[in-house]
Amino acid sequence: MCCWKSCWGRLFAFSCILVALGNDVSRAEKVIRWQPDPILNQVRHGAQEMWNGMLWGVDFLDGKTWAFDGNTFLDGGRMPGPNRPLVSAYTDYGVFLMGPSGSGANTKSEIVYSPDGFQDFTTVLSIVSENKGVPYSAGLRRTLADLGEGRMLYFEYSDNARIFYSDNRGQDWRQILQPFQGSIRHFHGGFYDQEYGKLYLMSGDADRQASIMVCDDLFGENGLIQNPDLWAQRWGLNDLYRTTLEPQYFLGVDGVIRSQRTRSVDMEIDGDYVYWGEDAGFDERQSIYRAHRVTGEVSRVGLPGMVGGPWRILHTADDDLLVFNASIHFNGQLERGMDEFVHIYQINDDRNDYSELARFLTRSTTGTGANAYGFVDAFDRIWINGYNVTNRNLDLVGKFVEITLGDVNGDDQVTIEDIDSLTSHILANGSLPVFDMDLSGYVDQTDRQFWVQQIVGTTFGDANLDGQFDSSDLVRVFEYGQYEDALLRNSGWAAGDWNGDGEFTSTDLTYAFQSGQYEAAGKLLAVPEPTASLFVLLLAALATGRRLNCKCSISSCHRESTKFGRSG
């Protein structure tokens, strides 16, 4: 005779009714998520641009260059002196890297040149820049503009706000324009549309300073290069209040040509339009705008909803338009809790709206959030500069792919393996977006709850993921034999780890009974605290064989219980 009575068998019999195991728990909701490359992710730092069929990088931390041909990383030379690269411009005749040199009173902005972009570098421009009277050196993506045929412009990103020009492949430079101090704070860069011969000059930062100035004549007799004073007048750069500006040489939003709406740090061409985003100094949601490349007519993409300043816009080989938003703010917090992330958005195929794809938790050491010096499409992957993003400063490398929501291992199914992988990532303090179920930017226990309750549509305690928490789940977890064992973090979801600590203990049983609803004998029971405690004591005793003097095993109780069917 089986020991049902000595083991409180009749009580346990009703809690050990078996049901068929369910495997297909996915609701098949498709979303776009970041998938890290298993080999290249967080291997190198400082990816910059594709050039001559290779991806080129310059490590901001040690000043060394490198290249990647799709299979192999090649180590290059070191930047001269104490230079650290900020931005790079790759041209048909070489690479120009702008980086700071020295420190304190000796700080300079320097442009270095390399004919091969790899080993040997020569400093071709060295100037002292200032920020509020303090030596300063910095640059943004569009600090250097390649005009073709060996001609280049350099836009100083400091309170000096000068424009320099070279017509001999960057070997020599001359200053051609310096605005009246205070008319603008600094240049955010210049974007050159070579097809239409237009230069879009970006400036900031206050409303009266922020603008996108347009030059449709660079090389003519009255062009910017030959007659910079004329363009300084047209752009209103000759006095503090910019009284001489001519509106036809500006991009405007809703008729306003100087505002935070036209404060930008990057532009990109897509079809008939050039796109930019607000690098705004206010705590509202940001916007993306576009201007027709011929008429200059401006329209907004979607409604204001982006968090952070759009510091990079990337047109990929797959014709996607991606926006990198760094949480940079000046006049106040952008939005509570959101300054901690880099946000990646995708503009839709119709280019009339956008959606957020991922948030990368930043680990800023500079107080300005993550930078956007590297946001590159190379070898069918997206490379995101890891400086201030990852603990190791290494680039994030992967893809934005359509996946089944909840599927973290890429097999297009939502299974127990996914919840176990999610739990392991949380315990390791990871933050990869593929594990961010609710797109909050954090990877934590809230994501486990979202996975269980919202994606799978079940409850804690449902060990076999068949959609209900019942006796078969209790039998299943004890058959694994990991209840309060001595092994550290060896238990997964199917073995009873429901609270996400990697262990199967009485805490998991209590958590399951308190968090969910237990179905016994065909009835749905909301189990209150006292009953939950009773089950904890009972099942723990059955598992360990202590106190109850039980001579049969859990597996034998399991076999015996099948006689009771589901009739209750």
Side-chain angles (χ1 to χ4, degrees):
M1 179 178 179
C2 186
C3 54
W4 284 104
K5 292 184 179 179
S6 62
C7 295
W8 296 350
R10 294 190 184 278
L11 176 61
F12 190 61
F14 287 107
S15 66
C16 292
I17 301 171
L18 297 178
V19 295
L21 299 183
N23 293 319
D24 185 11
V25 300
S26 171
R27 294 183 177 182
E29 181 182 353
K30 297 293 185 178
V31 295
I32 302 295
R33 286 292 190 272
W34 171 263
Q35 290 280 18
D37 186 283
I39 298 176
L40 298 175
N41 185 58
Q42 299 191 64
V43 172
R44 288 285 177 121
H45 167 257
Q48 293 267 353
E49 294 285 350
M50 283 292 293
W51 181 50
N52 288 342
M54 300 180 72
L55 173 65
W56 298 81
V58 191
D59 195 309
F60 182 85
L61 301 178
D62 63 14
K64 294 186 66 177
T65 60
W66 55 266
F68 180 65
D69 62 7
N71 296 299
T72 306
F73 286 97
L74 305 174
D75 291 318
R78 188 182 300 274
M79 298 278 288
N83 281 292
R84 289 297 181 268
L86 292 176
V87 292
S88 299
Y90 294 84
T91 68
D92 291 337
Y93 38 88
V95 58
F96 294 81
L97 302 161
M98 180 190 159
S101 176
S103 61
N106 297 319
T107 299
K108 297 179 181 179
S109 293
E110 295 191 336
I111 298 177
V112 298
Y113 163 75
S114 173
D116 60 7
F118 197 51
Q119 292 289 353
D120 300 316
F121 301 91
T122 303
T123 299
V124 293
L125 177 65
S126 179
I127 59 176
V128 177
S129 300
E130 292 184 351
N131 180 24
K132 298 180 180 179
V134 178
Y136 176 78
S137 60
L140 298 171
R141 182 190 185 193
R142 302 301 180 181
T143 297
L144 291 165
D146 180 13
L147 308 180
E149 299 181 5
R151 300 168 298 192
M152 300 187 71
L153 287 173
Y154 164 49
F155 310 96
E156 191 172 7
Y157 180 58
S158 75
D159 292 348
N160 304 69
R162 293 169 288 184
I163 299 178
F164 293 81
Y165 174 67
S166 172
D167 60 4
N168 63 350
R169 302 189 173 190
Q171 300 308 298
D172 299 289
W173 296 81
R174 61 184 175 90
Q175 178 180 318
I176 62 171
L177 189 151
Q178 182 171 19
F180 185 88
Q181 189 171 13
S183 61
I184 61 172
R185 182 188 175 200
H186 49 209
F187 289 118
H188 287 166
F191 178 75
Y192 182 56
D193 183 351
Q194 187 167 359
E195 182 178 354
Y196 290 95
K198 285 187 177 181
L199 175 72
Y200 300 91
L201 183 59
M202 298 169 281
S203 67
D205 281 327
D207 282 354
R208 64 179 177 79
Q209 300 169 327
S211 57
I212 299 177
M213 296 160 272
V214 182
C215 175
D216 56 7
D217 182 4
L218 283 175
F219 306 110
E221 183 178 347
N222 290 320
L224 175 64
I225 306 303
Q226 300 297 325
N227 197 346
D229 291 340
L230 171 63
W231 288 93
Q233 177 179 338
R234 288 174 171 175
W235 291 332
L237 300 179
N238 289 331
D239 64 83
L240 184 64
Y241 298 101
R242 306 184 69 176
T243 56
T244 63
L245 57 82
E246 299 179 28
Q248 65 267 35
Y249 295 108
F250 289 78
L251 294 183
V253 178
D254 297 329
V256 179
I257 62 174
R258 292 185 301 161
S259 74
Q260 299 300 302
R261 310 299 178 193
T262 54
R263 172 173 154 183
S264 180
V265 296
D266 192 22
M267 303 186 82
E268 190 61 77
I269 291 172
D270 177 72
D272 293 331
Y273 295 89
V274 58
Y275 287 75
W276 80 88
E278 298 170 335
D279 174 46
F282 45 68
D283 57 1
E284 302 174 13
R285 292 266 180 154
Q286 316 297 291
S287 295
I288 289 287
Y289 293 93
R290 66 180 189 177
H292 196 277
R293 295 167 67 189
V294 176
T295 67
E297 183 179 356
V298 173
S299 57
R300 185 173 62 192
V301 177
L303 297 174
M306 291 185 170
V307 176
W311 275 45
R312 286 293 301 271
I313 302 177
L314 177 63
H315 196 170
T316 72
D318 294 330
D319 203 34
D320 290 326
L321 207 57
L322 303 179
V323 183
F324 178 110
N325 283 38
S327 296
I328 309 297
H329 62 281
F330 296 93
N331 297 340
Q333 192 173 18
L334 290 171
E335 184 172 329
R336 185 174 299 277
M338 291 295 102
D339 282 350
E340 303 175 31
F341 306 106
V342 164
H343 304 259
I344 307 294
Y345 294 87
Q346 180 186 43
I347 300 180
N348 65 6
D349 292 340
D350 293 334
R351 304 302 196 240
N352 59 10
D353 207 351
Y354 55 85
S355 59
E356 185 174 4
L357 299 186
R359 296 178 186 178
F360 295 95
L361 187 64
T362 68
R363 295 170 173 89
S364 173
T365 58
T366 64
T368 57
N371 67 51
Y373 299 135
F375 187 43
V376 189
D377 176 22
F379 301 108
D380 194 32
R381 300 172 181 90
I382 303 298
W383 305 64
I384 300 174
N385 191 300
Y387 186 61
N388 289 341
V389 180
T390 64
N391 279 328
R392 297 185 297 163
N393 299 306
L394 300 175
D395 289 351
L396 298 174
V397 183
K399 301 178 182 180
F400 289 107
V401 298
E402 185 178 71
I403 65 171
T404 299
L405 183 60
D407 169 32
V408 300
N409 62 8
D411 63 1
D412 204 31
Q413 300 181 58
V414 180
T415 65
I416 289 174
E417 290 183 3
D418 295 305
I419 185 66
D420 287 344
S421 295
L422 173 58
T423 300
S424 297
H425 198 70
I426 294 172
L427 291 175
N429 295 318
S431 61
L432 288 178
V434 69
F435 294 98
D436 183 10
M437 298 294 109
D438 57 0
L439 204 63
S440 66
Y442 297 100
V443 179
D444 52 25
Q445 292 296 334
T446 304
D447 292 293
R448 293 185 78 252
Q449 183 175 355
F450 190 91
W451 191 95
V452 172
Q453 297 177 341
Q454 302 298 320
I455 297 176
V456 179
T458 189
T459 182
F460 289 93
D462 180 13
N464 57 18
L465 294 184
D466 65 353
Q468 58 188 13
F469 175 31
D470 57 17
S471 58
S472 65
D473 299 300
L474 299 175
V475 172
R476 181 187 181 98
V477 295
F478 279 103
E479 283 186 327
Y480 273 85
Q482 297 177 8
Y483 179 78
E484 294 191 347
D485 61 13
L487 300 178
L488 182 64
R489 290 184 176 179
N490 66 314
S491 299
W493 178 269
D497 176 30
W498 297 321
N499 68 351
D501 63 1
E503 308 288 351
F504 176 33
T505 66
S506 60
T507 303
D508 295 288
L509 294 166
T510 302
Y511 185 74
F513 280 111
Q514 289 177 332
S515 301
Q517 291 180 309
Y518 178 74
E519 183 177 357
K523 296 181 180 180
L524 194 62
L525 304 177
V527 184
E529 171 67 24
T531 307
S533 300
L534 176 62
F535 270 96
V536 169
L537 294 174
L538 169 63
L539 296 177
L542 286 171
T544 59
R546 295 193 297 260
R547 298 184 183 180
L548 294 182
N549 192 28
C550 180
K551 298 180 180 179
C552 67
S553 66
I554 291 297
S555 60
S556 65
C557 287
H558 177 182
R559 291 192 297 271
E560 188 71 20
S561 67
T562 60
K563 299 179 182 179
F564 288 84
R566 291 185 56 84
S567 62

